[in-house]
Amino acid sequence: MEQEMVLKKEKSMSTNFKQILAKLTPSIKKDGIMKSLKNTGITLLSILLFLGLWHMGSKALYNKEADYKIEKALTERGEEAAAAERACIESGDSSCQPNTLPSPTQVWASLKSLVADHHVISADKAAFAEKMAATNEKMIAAGKDPIVYTGRASFIDIVLTSIKTVFAGFLLALLIAVPIGIVIGLSPSLRSAFNWFIQIFKPVSPVVWYLLVFMIVKTLYIGDSSDNAFVISFISVGFCAMWATLVNTAMGVASVDKDYINVAKVLKLGTFQKVFKVILPSSLPLIFTGLRITLSVAWMVLIAIELLAQSQGLGLFVWEEFQNGANDSNAKIIVAMFVIGIIGFLLDRLMLAVQNMVSFNKNEMA
């Protein structure tokens, strides 16, 4: 009898809990939706605020330069010239427009023109490939190099070149820094011996690394007429960016729990087995932190290095537009700035996703 009462009481409590949970579930879902909508609204509001401030700032700078041009015409050539200058500026004629910070609408228009230009160039490439198909087949059959399209690159092609360069540099940094970091991390003596080397070369400017790589590659490629700008660029990027991975790998290996090392000794694991089965899995969080920093640094220094190496990437694009000084050059530079920032963000998210896939220590908040 007593057991039946206990069972009824437990059943009643379970029923009550289910009823309470059923009532709370819609509320929890509603709170989650409201929080998501609130965050989205705040984000959109901040974007609108940014665009508004940008528009007002560009308008103020435009008016300041326009007033200066009109005043200069008045001082140097008289009232008639000043009136003509004012009328030209108000007409929107590109020949007399102030060349200052572009507005959001001008940047958007430049982005659309760059995309349209890409379609035009892609069509030209396709037409060239079709036209030269038969000739290239004969040249390849004769053991000669095919004739390739040598026209100007589109903005999309330039972006892809920069991404290819940064990944090549990142891969080089990984192949150099991770093995050296493991070796240094395993030995306190080696860490002390190489510490001076890391501390001296880690802060070296990308410009200096570029010059060093240029000296070496130029000598290795002496007598070769091929363009080695890509080789110089990705090697320079790799040398500039590898230090965070090197330091973090050494720290990660050195800080592996001693109990894991003792277990490896008990199991009589060989050196390579110990490294790949015990040390590397334990060091992955710090190694990936270093790799994320390396990829970010690689993307940042790439722009300066491409400019110096004259590699057909975003760095050279930005510099050529700045030198060009055309009416839409400033807008194209701002487009490139946004593209650089967005790609940098996506690269960091990519590294975080890879880290969460291979590491047991998930770092969702990074």
Side-chain angles (χ1 to χ4, degrees):
M1 188 70 180
E2 185 177 348
Q3 188 175 3
E4 287 182 12
M5 289 178 66
V6 171
L7 289 171
K8 286 180 181 179
K9 188 175 180 181
E10 287 180 353
K11 186 176 181 181
S12 176
M13 289 175 65
S14 176
T15 304
N16 291 337
F17 177 75
K18 288 179 180 178
Q19 290 174 347
I20 293 169
L21 186 62
K23 290 178 181 179
L24 285 176
T25 299
S27 177
I28 292 169
K29 288 182 179 178
K30 185 179 178 182
D31 290 343
I33 292 170
M34 291 302 295
K35 185 177 180 181
S36 177
L37 288 173
K38 182 181 177 182
N39 291 338
T40 304
I42 291 171
T43 302
L44 290 174
L45 186 63
S46 68
I47 291 172
L48 291 174
L49 179 62
F50 170 74
L51 292 174
L53 291 172
W54 177 8
H55 176 76
M56 288 189 294
S58 66
K59 188 68 176 176
L61 291 171
Y62 178 91
N63 291 336
K64 181 178 176 62
E65 188 166 339
D67 291 341
Y68 171 77
K69 291 176 71 133
I70 295 168
E71 185 67 28
K72 186 178 179 182
L74 177 65
T75 304
E76 294 179 355
R77 292 174 287 161
E79 290 186 6
E80 189 175 338
E85 187 73 26
R86 183 187 298 276
C88 183
I89 291 172
E90 289 175 353
S91 70
D93 188 349
S94 60
S95 63
C96 56
Q97 290 301 300
N99 191 16
T100 182
L101 178 69
S103 67
T105 52
Q106 289 174 312
V107 172
W108 178 249
S110 288
L111 175 60
K112 290 195 291 186
S113 72
L114 287 169
V115 173
D117 184 59
H118 169 71
H119 292 311
V120 171
I121 293 174
S122 297
D124 290 343
K125 285 181 180 178
F128 178 84
E130 186 177 352
K131 182 180 178 181
M132 301 302 299
T135 305
N136 282 338
E137 283 182 11
K138 293 177 183 177
M139 294 187 71
I140 292 171
K144 298 178 181 179
D145 293 330
I147 301 171
V148 296
Y149 180 82
T150 56
R152 65 188 179 87
S154 71
F155 182 71
I156 307 297
D157 295 330
I158 286 168
V159 171
L160 293 175
T161 298
S162 289
I163 292 173
K164 182 175 73 171
T165 305
V166 83
F167 272 114
F170 174 74
L171 183 61
L172 177 66
L174 187 152
L175 293 175
I176 294 174
V178 172
I180 294 176
I182 292 171
V183 172
I184 292 175
L186 289 171
S187 170
S189 301
L190 285 176
R191 281 202 304 278
S192 299
F194 280 94
N195 185 57
W196 68 270
F197 181 84
I198 296 170
Q199 298 306 322
I200 288 175
F201 288 103
K202 184 171 65 171
V204 171
S205 165
V207 176
V208 180
W209 279 116
Y210 162 77
L211 294 174
L212 175 64
V213 173
F214 177 78
M215 296 174 204
I216 297 169
V217 172
K218 181 192 70 171
T219 306
L220 293 175
Y221 277 75
I222 197 166
D224 190 343
S225 60
S226 61
D227 184 16
N228 51 32
F230 173 74
V231 176
I232 294 172
S233 296
F234 89 79
I235 293 176
S236 302
V237 167
F239 283 174
C240 285
M242 72 178 188
W243 303 100
T245 298
L246 177 58
V247 171
N248 278 47
T249 301
M251 286 177 57
V253 171
S255 60
V256 172
D257 195 326
K258 300 301 178 186
D259 290 339
Y260 296 161
I261 305 296
N262 292 333
V263 169
K265 289 179 180 178
V266 170
L267 295 174
K268 296 181 179 179
L269 297 179
T271 303
F272 286 102
Q273 285 181 313
K274 183 171 70 175
V275 168
F276 286 102
K277 291 186 177 181
V278 178
I279 293 173
L280 270 182
S282 302
S283 309
L284 278 180
L286 268 176
I287 292 174
F288 267 95
T289 299
L291 288 172
R292 287 177 67 189
I293 297 171
T294 288
L295 189 55
S296 297
V297 171
W299 185 244
M300 283 191 293
V301 303
L302 174 71
I303 306 305
I305 288 172
E306 282 182 334
L307 190 159
L308 292 167
Q310 297 292 292
S311 177
Q312 286 295 328
L314 282 165
L316 187 61
F317 172 82
V318 169
W319 180 249
E320 286 181 344
E321 288 299 330
F322 176 74
Q323 294 285 80
N324 184 21
N327 196 51
D328 63 344
S329 289
N330 289 354
K332 288 179 180 178
I333 290 171
I334 302 298
V335 169
M337 184 187 76
F338 276 105
V339 169
I340 290 166
I342 291 168
I343 292 175
F345 170 76
L346 293 176
L347 290 175
D348 183 72
R349 295 297 95 183
L350 175 65
M351 282 303 302
L352 180 60
V354 174
Q355 176 180 354
N356 288 331
M357 281 193 295
V358 303
S359 176
F360 59 86
N361 184 8
K362 309 296 182 188
N363 192 9
E364 299 289 351
M365 299 302 293

